Amino acid sequence: MSSNKKENDKDKGHHTPVSIPKAEWDSSMLELAQSQFLKAAALMDLDENIRDRLLFPQRTMIVSFPCRLDEYSDVETVFGYRVQHVLTMGPTKGGIRYHEDVNLGEVSALAMWMTWKCSLMHLPFGGAKGGVRINPQKMSRPELQRLTRRYAMEINNMIGPDKDIPAPDMGTNAQVMAWIMDTYSQQVGYAVPEVVTGKPVVLGGSHGREEATGRGLVYLIKEAADHLNIDLNKSTAVIQGYGNVGRHATHFLDELGASIIGISDVSCALYNSKGLNLHEVNDWLEKNSVLQGFPNADEISNQELLELECDVLAPCALQNQITADNAPYIKCKILAEGANGPTSLEADGILADKGIFVLPDILGNAGGVTVSYFEWVQNTQEFSWTLEKVNNHLHKILVHAFQRTLVRSQRDKIDMRTAALIEGISRVAEAKLLRGVFP
Ligand code: GLU
């Protein structure tokens, strides 16, 4: 905590003043999630009572807690969230995001998308999401561990294998899940691997979970390409983001013979019209950790990357990337959303007019939560599946969801996002009606 001594000693530690959330619900992401939902609700003529119940999450929790930094006298106040959108379908499910922009509205939007995603995949879960408003890149490993354990304690009563099962999301990974699993297990006195998914395999994680989101996205790109008569072996692809989703999607697209002409990470975007050599890229990243400076490609801006002419464009980074401003200049045939919420509602209309085929986020990135479901099933049955079995089941579930969405989109003449949302919303609405209102 600041003291006069600290005031004079600013170089030590990296204490940042607490950022006070002025408007927790005020989030463009929540506005987007709600407008997408209301558009689908109107088209499907959703019961008004059910519509209003689904516009906001059923349970939300905001916690503020202390995190001791490596500089022992520095204690930062941190805000954390856990949101459960729908409790009707079974336990709630969704990742935990560490990012400096996280607020209640953003986490609620992400939880709502998890509900539709799980329902579209026919998984027995409602949607949830968690978040902590910090920049994990600025924290040391011991700081991250202390932060994670304290956050896990703060939400300890809200989570549980039959209640709410966290997983990784942006800024978190298998190690963070291991710390949460350990913290939870310490409280009950025995190991509870099934309280989180996306764990390291040795702690009960599933084979194939790490790469599942990227792999699933590429399974769906293959379905979309077959539908549009695009030969992926002769295609070009651009991937925005080289984190867990983007990196694996790039790898699997390359395996199918697509020429990867553009990629990006936080440092820059790269373009090579003849296709990037991924071995060279990965070697470079091992030594330099960021893409910037990679010799065998041109550095371009993020905007230029998104506007490259290509067969497949996969936004796998942040939300709000394709908007009314740049949608007119998007020149891909398939837009494959690996990120959550990368496209605005106005952009959706523009892309539809341009005839771009969209694999919407709740379908495109559903491979992650689907293998998370397999992980939870394996843990509760104390039985482990082979990678082959995981991938076969993943493929079956994703292709089935793709087909249902495509049929609805063609039959009702609506875009793929709205079709996917209606698929998801209608099962939740049916379940809510069947369960009725208590008391
Ligand atoms: N965070 C991922 C998502 O947005 C995965 C959630 C999970 O595996 O539960 O879908």
Side-chain angles (χ1 to χ4, degrees):
M1 301 259 167
S2 341
S3 63
N4 286 340
K5 185 181 164 291
K6 287 292 311 171
E7 292 287 304
N8 302 328
D9 202 4
K10 287 211 172 69
D11 291 343
K12 282 200 182 161
H14 46 255
H15 186 102
T16 40
V18 59
S19 59
I20 298 161
K22 295 212 171 55
E24 282 287 359
W25 290 101
D26 190 7
S27 143
S28 55
M29 256 166 107
L30 183 58
E31 267 169 45
L32 174 62
Q34 289 177 328
S35 341
Q36 289 174 346
F37 166 68
L38 289 173
K39 178 180 167 188
L43 274 165
M44 67 193 281
D45 214 7
L46 182 67
D47 179 305
E48 280 177 16
N49 300 314
I50 302 266
R51 185 196 62 201
D52 293 353
R53 289 290 300 124
L54 293 171
L55 254 184
F56 283 91
Q58 278 184 244
R59 283 185 190 158
T60 64
M61 176 143 93
I62 306 182
V63 293
S64 77
F65 57 91
C67 176
R68 194 179 287 286
L69 303 183
D70 291 339
E71 178 64 28
Y72 193 80
S73 59
D74 254 344
V75 179
E76 221 164 84
T77 295
V78 175
F79 281 83
Y81 307 84
R82 187 73 188 168
V83 171
Q84 299 169 347
H85 177 241
V86 161
L87 288 95
T88 313
M89 312 301 285
T92 49
K93 187 85 191 81
I96 291 172
R97 175 171 287 207
Y98 286 178
H99 194 275
E100 51 197 350
D101 292 338
V102 157
N103 66 3
L104 186 64
E106 177 174 321
V107 179
S108 303
L110 291 161
M112 187 189 281
W113 284 323
M114 285 308 301
T115 299
W116 314 142
K117 198 186 299 187
C118 291
S119 176
L120 172 62
M121 295 297 130
H122 293 187
L123 309 181
F125 295 134
K129 206 78 169 197
V132 181
R133 187 160 58 246
I134 45 120
N135 180 349
Q137 257 97 46
K138 286 198 187 147
M139 300 185 88
S140 70
R141 186 183 157 98
E143 286 172 341
L144 268 181
Q145 175 166 181
R146 287 195 293 273
L147 173 105
T148 300
R149 287 186 182 281
R150 180 62 190 246
Y151 168 67
M153 267 314 290
E154 297 287 339
I155 63 165
N156 189 56
N157 289 331
M158 215 169 163
I159 61 172
D162 301 315
K163 278 198 222 171
D164 180 12
I165 305 126
D169 194 77
M170 196 186 289
T172 57
N173 55 22
Q175 176 61 77
V176 172
M177 293 308 115
W179 290 327
I180 295 177
M181 177 256 178
D182 184 71
T183 307
Y184 186 89
S185 301
Q186 295 297 338
Q187 302 311 305
V188 289
Y190 52 89
V192 189
E194 62 273 29
V195 70
V196 290
T197 59
K199 301 174 286 291
V201 172
V202 71
L203 293 178
S206 178
H207 294 295
R209 174 61 186 86
E210 176 93 16
E211 63 271 28
T213 314
R215 188 190 292 276
L217 186 66
V218 175
Y219 283 161
L220 292 159
I221 292 171
K222 175 82 176 75
E223 292 303 304
D226 288 349
H227 167 66
L228 300 170
N229 281 321
I230 295 171
D231 182 357
L232 281 181
N233 203 14
K234 297 196 183 85
S235 70
T236 51
V238 172
I239 296 94
Q240 182 200 33
Y242 214 67
N244 180 262
V245 183
R247 191 162 32 94
H248 288 112
T250 307
H251 165 77
F252 292 121
L253 276 168
D254 182 62
E255 239 179 35
L256 290 181
S259 170
I260 311 297
I261 59 168
I263 55 173
S264 73
D265 69 358
V266 280
S267 73
C268 75
L270 297 175
Y271 170 63
N272 183 334
S273 61
K274 297 198 177 67
L276 288 141
N277 180 325
L278 292 188
H279 293 294
E280 288 176 8
V281 170
N282 293 332
D283 283 351
W284 172 267
L285 278 176
E286 223 158 80
K287 290 184 202 106
N288 301 280
S289 72
V290 290
L291 292 175
Q292 196 158 45
F294 177 73
N296 301 330
D298 298 328
E299 208 175 301
I300 56 173
S301 71
N302 184 49
Q303 233 19 268
E304 288 168 324
L305 179 91
L306 294 174
E307 293 169 15
L308 284 174
E309 188 160 349
C310 59
D311 294 301
V312 181
L313 171 64
C316 298
L318 282 167
Q319 59 270 15
N320 200 33
Q321 295 301 298
I322 299 169
T323 61
D325 293 336
N326 62 1
Y329 310 106
I330 302 288
K331 300 183 213 44
C332 63
K333 295 189 180 118
I334 299 170
L335 180 71
E337 297 183 346
N340 287 309
T343 308
S344 76
L345 206 63
E346 301 76 41
D348 266 341
I350 300 170
L351 298 176
D353 289 345
K354 286 169 69 94
I356 292 175
F357 188 90
V358 177
L359 284 169
D361 50 4
I362 60 165
L363 175 62
N365 68 32
V369 71
T370 302
V371 176
S372 272
Y373 165 61
F374 301 158
E375 182 171 326
W376 179 75
V377 167
Q378 291 170 75
N379 291 161
T380 50
Q381 298 184 347
E382 299 183 25
F383 184 76
S384 169
W385 297 5
T386 61
L387 178 61
E388 196 189 2
K389 177 165 172 170
V390 167
N391 290 342
N392 284 343
H393 277 64
L394 174 64
H395 188 259
K396 215 180 290 170
I397 288 181
L398 288 179
V399 170
H400 195 228
F402 175 86
Q403 290 301 343
R404 278 185 276 114
T405 307
L406 184 63
V407 165
R408 187 184 284 274
S409 149
Q410 291 178 328
R411 190 193 61 206
D412 299 348
K413 299 192 173 38
I414 51 178
D415 59 77
M416 285 288 282
R417 185 184 319 281
T418 312
L421 283 167
I422 295 179
E423 278 289 312
I425 296 165
S426 52
R427 290 183 72 249
V428 176
E430 188 186 343
K432 278 210 170 286
L433 282 170
L434 285 166
R435 282 187 60 163
V437 175
F438 174 85

